[in-house]
Amino acid sequence: MNTQPDIKSFSKGLYIDGAWRPGSAGGTIDVVDPSTEAVLTSVADATVDDARAAVDAAANAAHGWRTTAPRKRSEILRRCFELMTERAEMLATLISMENGKALRDARGEVAYAAEFFRWNAEEAVRITGEFGTAPAGTNRIIVDYEPIGICLLITPWNFPAAMATRKIAPALAAGCTVILKPASETPLTAYALAALYAEAGVPPGVVNVLTTTNPGGLTEEILGDQRVRKLSFTGSTGVGRTLLAEASKTVISCSMELGGNAPFIVFDDADLNAALDGAMVAKMRNAGEACTAANRIYVQSGLYDAFVDGLAARMSALKVGAGADPETECGPMITQKAVDKIEGLVRDALDNGARLVCGGTPEKNRGFFYPPTVLAEVPTAIEMTHEEIFGPVAPVTKFETEDEVVGLANNTEYGLAAYIYTKDISKGLRVSSAVEAGMIGLNRGLVSDPAAPFGGYKQSGLGREGGQHHGIAEFMEAKYIASSL
């Protein structure tokens, strides 16, 4: 099987009602390879007229899909999983080309993304209601769960396959039709998957894909349509606040997976090598461009020096290069703007007393590269500790006591993920309870799993994706029927 993606076949137009069509205004969006800054291809640029057409298509397909037997929906989702698995290498290469991430990370993403179809194929046939007698004995209580309706799904550039399937799979399992708006930086994966869904048997209009340079206008148009009843967004907290305000105008159900500022806590009694292994995963998966990335590393004083030395040795040894190169361990950032932001955060940290241990100086070559960097003696009240780095920079801060580090960990508006390393399971569970985060990696540097609920506290979002019932419940409404005895 040819594992090289046919890029032109994934840029044939917008995907609406099961067909490829140009944007109504004829505009296009360039897709740039972050490794070389070369234009890979161009995709269609949707207008509000295209958005209306997508809503119409989703509305026309809604009744047929929601009344499709759960077993049939399950079989289609299972086929999506099988096709993604069969074409995993092609999809991974495509992701590496348009996103820049290391091929090994892209392969991991495809496997993770496909798993949402397998998991939700199994959940589709397990949507059950409730039946009971009212406490007063006057009537029966019947609770049915129905598809919520047309869903607008907005996904980011950092995981172009996984962020889409984590929303599409449960929505389709629940019986909803969807409109996906992927990030304009990485649209090719979304279009490649749209073709795959059709091949798997997803009917026309059930999944529609729009790319645009006018996300605000399209979103306003779609959310203003009374037929649309769900918004699921993954992205920054700032954009999430804006979308929540827009959705409030028509009281649309919202699921928000927003920013993170994950603490990575290492106690003196931790296994040093295990903690270093975990830090490399939590910090460097996708070159740090992940909302769950370790953003603030706190190490207790007794292990601090050894940890900093060990982390610097591992970070310095990483091979930086083009994402699609099989030898690459750290690919480029998504844009030059992202590199500039990282440079600014590092400069601010150094100006405020942090010590540069390795990295810190990007080479001025083609591509949006930033070297793996370790900072030590990082102050706790600088810009870097209060916003996402979204890059391969590991700031390490020393702490003395458990209470101190819990206070530092919770000193943020975010609460998505956190990581804790200790051999004392009692301490680990105690600190896990005290840290304000929706997901905890206890002696693990990776928390994401389709079988577990993904989401955060505070301004890291609303709702959950994945899990035994959490993910699919986000796309359903509970209907209560009071029936006489």
Side-chain angles (χ1 to χ4, degrees), residues 263-282 298 300 303 307 399 418-424 427-428 431-432 440-446:
F264 188 99
I265 301 168
V266 182
F267 286 98
D268 280 345
D269 63 355
D271 180 312
L272 176 60
N273 285 325
L276 288 168
D277 289 344
M280 291 300 293
V281 173
Y298 300 117
Q300 203 162 17
L303 211 58
F307 183 92
F399 76 91
Y419 306 89
I420 301 162
Y421 274 78
T422 175
K423 291 179 182 176
D424 183 342
K427 181 197 294 181
V431 176
S432 294
I440 306 290
L442 181 53
N443 293 318
R444 281 185 58 83
L446 180 66

Side-chain angles (χ1 to χ4, degrees), residues 99 101-102 105 109 157-159 284-290 333:
N99 172 276
K101 71 172 62 181
D105 286 341
E109 179 185 347
W157 51 261
N158 58 336
F159 290 91
M284 292 304 295
R285 187 167 67 105
N286 201 32
E289 293 178 313
M333 303 298 95

Side-chain angles (χ1 to χ4, degrees), residues 2 56 80 108 174 181 202 227 252 275 334 359 391 394 407 438 482:
N2 183 10
D56 289 341
C80 288
K181 193 206 77 61
V202 174
R227 295 172 293 179
I252 284 177
I334 189 66

Side-chain angles (χ1 to χ4, degrees), residues 257-347:
E257 196 271 281
L258 306 177
N261 190 8
F264 188 99
I265 301 168
V266 182
F267 286 98
D268 280 345
D269 63 355
D271 180 312
L272 176 60
N273 285 325
L276 288 168
D277 289 344
M280 291 300 293
V281 173
K283 176 71 262 183
M284 292 304 295
R285 187 167 67 105
N286 201 32
E289 293 178 313
C291 55
T292 55
N295 207 60
R296 300 168 293 151
I297 301 176
Y298 300 117
V299 183
Q300 203 162 17
S301 57
L303 211 58
Y304 184 83
D305 290 339
F307 183 92
V308 169
D309 291 344
L311 184 61
R314 294 181 184 220
M315 293 280 275
S316 299
L318 292 175
K319 178 177 175 16
V320 178
D325 181 346
E327 300 300 316
T328 291
E329 296 172 299
C330 179
M333 303 298 95
I334 189 66
T335 60
Q336 184 59 46
K337 182 179 178 181
V339 175
D340 293 342
K341 176 190 174 182
I342 296 166
E343 284 192 283
L345 292 173
V346 170
R347 192 180 310 114

Side-chain angles (χ1 to χ4, degrees), residues 156-408:
W157 51 261
N158 58 336
F159 290 91
M163 298 302 96
T165 63
R166 196 161 74 185
K167 300 177 188 299
I168 292 171
L172 267 56
C176 300
T177 58
V178 306
I179 301 161
L180 172 68
K181 193 206 77 61
S184 59
E185 293 90 347
T186 56
L188 300 178
T189 302
Y191 284 128
L193 290 174
L196 184 148
Y197 305 151
E199 185 178 347
V202 174
V206 173
V207 176
N208 306 276
V209 184
L210 302 175
T211 44
T212 184
T213 56
N214 180 26
L218 259 71
T219 299
E220 183 177 354
E221 178 68 28
I222 294 171
L223 294 181
D225 192 308
Q226 293 291 334
R227 295 172 293 179
V228 177
R229 298 311 312 147
K230 180 72 183 185
L231 168 64
S232 180
F233 169 73
T234 297
S236 73
T237 296
V239 174
R241 294 188 193 110
T242 300
L243 289 171
L244 284 168
E246 190 64 39
S248 71
K249 296 176 182 177
T250 44
V251 194
I252 284 177
S253 170
C254 292
S255 298
M256 295 275 151
E257 196 271 281
L258 306 177
N261 190 8
F264 188 99
I265 301 168
V266 182
F267 286 98
D268 280 345
D269 63 355
D271 180 312
L272 176 60
N273 285 325
L276 288 168
D277 289 344
M280 291 300 293
V281 173
K283 176 71 262 183
M284 292 304 295
R285 187 167 67 105
N286 201 32
E289 293 178 313
C291 55
T292 55
N295 207 60
R296 300 168 293 151
I297 301 176
Y298 300 117
V299 183
Q300 203 162 17
S301 57
L303 211 58
Y304 184 83
D305 290 339
F307 183 92
V308 169
D309 291 344
L311 184 61
R314 294 181 184 220
M315 293 280 275
S316 299
L318 292 175
K319 178 177 175 16
V320 178
D325 181 346
E327 300 300 316
T328 291
E329 296 172 299
C330 179
M333 303 298 95
I334 189 66
T335 60
Q336 184 59 46
K337 182 179 178 181
V339 175
D340 293 342
K341 176 190 174 182
I342 296 166
E343 284 192 283
L345 292 173
V346 170
R347 192 180 310 114
D348 176 72
L350 295 175
D351 289 345
N352 282 279
R355 175 171 61 91
L356 181 64
V357 184
C358 69
T361 306
E363 296 181 11
K364 302 300 181 182
N365 298 322
R366 296 286 288 176
F368 310 127
F369 291 96
Y370 195 90
T373 297
V374 175
L375 301 174
E377 285 86 62
V378 176
T380 60
I382 59 172
E383 195 175 4
M384 181 178 288
T385 61
H386 292 287
E387 65 174 277
E388 290 182 284
I389 300 169
F390 241 63
V393 177
V396 191
T397 300
K398 185 185 300 183
F399 76 91
E400 297 294 341
T401 68
E402 181 180 318
D403 287 344
E404 176 193 3
V405 78
V406 168
L408 290 170

